[in-house]
Amino acid sequence: MTKPPSKLPPMSAVRVFEAAARHQSFTRAAEELGMTQAAVSYQIKILEDKVGAPLFIRLPRQVTLTAKGRQLAPAVTEAFEALRNAFAGVEEMVQTVLSITTLSTFASNWLVPRLGRFRQLHPNIAVQISVSTEIVEFAQSEFDIGIRSGTGDWPGLEAHVLFPNQFVPVCSPELLRGVELREPLDILKLPLISPSDPWWQDWFAAAGVKNVDLSRRPDNSLGVQQFEGMAAIAGQGVALINPFFFPDDLASGRLVKPFDLLATTDRSYWLVYPKTRRRSAKIEAFRDWVLSEVAGDSERTAPVMHTKTGT
């Protein structure tokens, strides 16, 4: 019959023994561990009782390991060194790897193209990005930061508003050739991308036109603004997009606005993270960088018309 493994002694006593054996001194072990010398002696006595033999020879002004102590010390030191290395590796990853959960269009059209600037400022922080439409519970995941669309009311989270969830119709300049557009309803002369998107009704309402019937139009829904903007650039129709996500395409003329009417909902894009981690150096670095980038974008973006809707 296999003999069952013996029960380990208290880890507090083993920890004290490792320090005392390494320093060959109860006094120095006590200083390292933040204990009194008497407490060190007590823990060593507990361990010796468990082993059944003395581990140190107590001399007037020093201690030395007994034969049993010398037999035990290397294995204990090696085990604690392995633990130190394991915890150091985890701590280094925690401090140097920033994990972000974000929305697809925000990641592809806003965050990723400018991440190089963040890496230049903080070359010691590696950024990992996960794209999802699900709201991640930070307590049940390893994410450090999230980008969300909403009203900013998430218990337990610090929330910093980035920019409004606003939208304007855009298309390729080629799509407008030969088409006369004088009023918002004239946009119906053109194919619409994702006509079942409720934003279309909000945009028409902001333009003073309500209950526009789009039900007979083919619902070529593409799901995310990233794809809808790409389809618009390709001349497939008119898409509703947030201009914060397509500044270069608008500036270059790849996308044009048939009507310069910008509407917005009561939702915005937010940077969020747990309040308990607001002092994390990597989170502070990313937060400050993102907010500075947003401030620069806001200075360059000047909407012609800004209408609030309740969607």
Side-chain angles (χ1 to χ4, degrees), residues 230-251:
M230 292 170 63
I233 292 171
Q236 297 176 19
V238 183
L240 278 175
I241 58 96
N242 190 324
F244 277 93
F245 292 141
F246 298 88
D248 294 338
D249 297 307
L250 290 167

Side-chain angles (χ1 to χ4, degrees), residues 211-224:
N211 301 320
V212 177
D213 185 8
L214 303 177
S215 61
R216 297 182 182 181
R217 290 178 172 261
D219 186 17
N220 300 313
S221 178
L222 300 182
V224 295

Side-chain angles (χ1 to χ4, degrees), residues 9-52:
M11 290 306 297
S12 58
V14 177
R15 178 169 174 258
V16 168
F17 169 78
E18 190 276 334
R22 181 162 33 86
H23 290 298
Q24 294 286 293
S25 168
F26 286 5
T27 301
R28 293 179 63 187
E31 292 173 352
E32 176 183 313
L33 300 175
M35 304 170 64
T36 64
Q37 185 173 339
V40 168
S41 297
Y42 176 73
Q43 291 295 328
I44 295 297
K45 184 65 169 62
I46 290 176
L47 192 60
E48 290 175 330
D49 289 345
K50 171 65 178 178
V51 173

Side-chain angles (χ1 to χ4, degrees), residues 74-128:
V76 172
T77 298
E78 182 179 353
F80 271 86
E81 188 63 26
L83 285 173
R84 290 188 190 97
N85 291 336
F87 278 100
V90 170
E91 183 179 358
E92 180 180 4
M93 178 171 290
V94 167
Q95 296 301 323
T96 61
V97 177
L98 184 72
S99 185
I100 304 170
T101 173
T102 181
L103 302 168
S104 175
T105 302
F106 186 94
S108 62
N109 288 40
W110 195 92
L111 179 58
V112 171
R114 60 186 79 199
L115 262 183
R117 295 200 283 271
F118 177 75
R119 294 194 182 102
Q120 287 180 342
L121 292 172
H122 304 281
N124 61 319
I125 300 178
V127 177
Q128 297 179 349

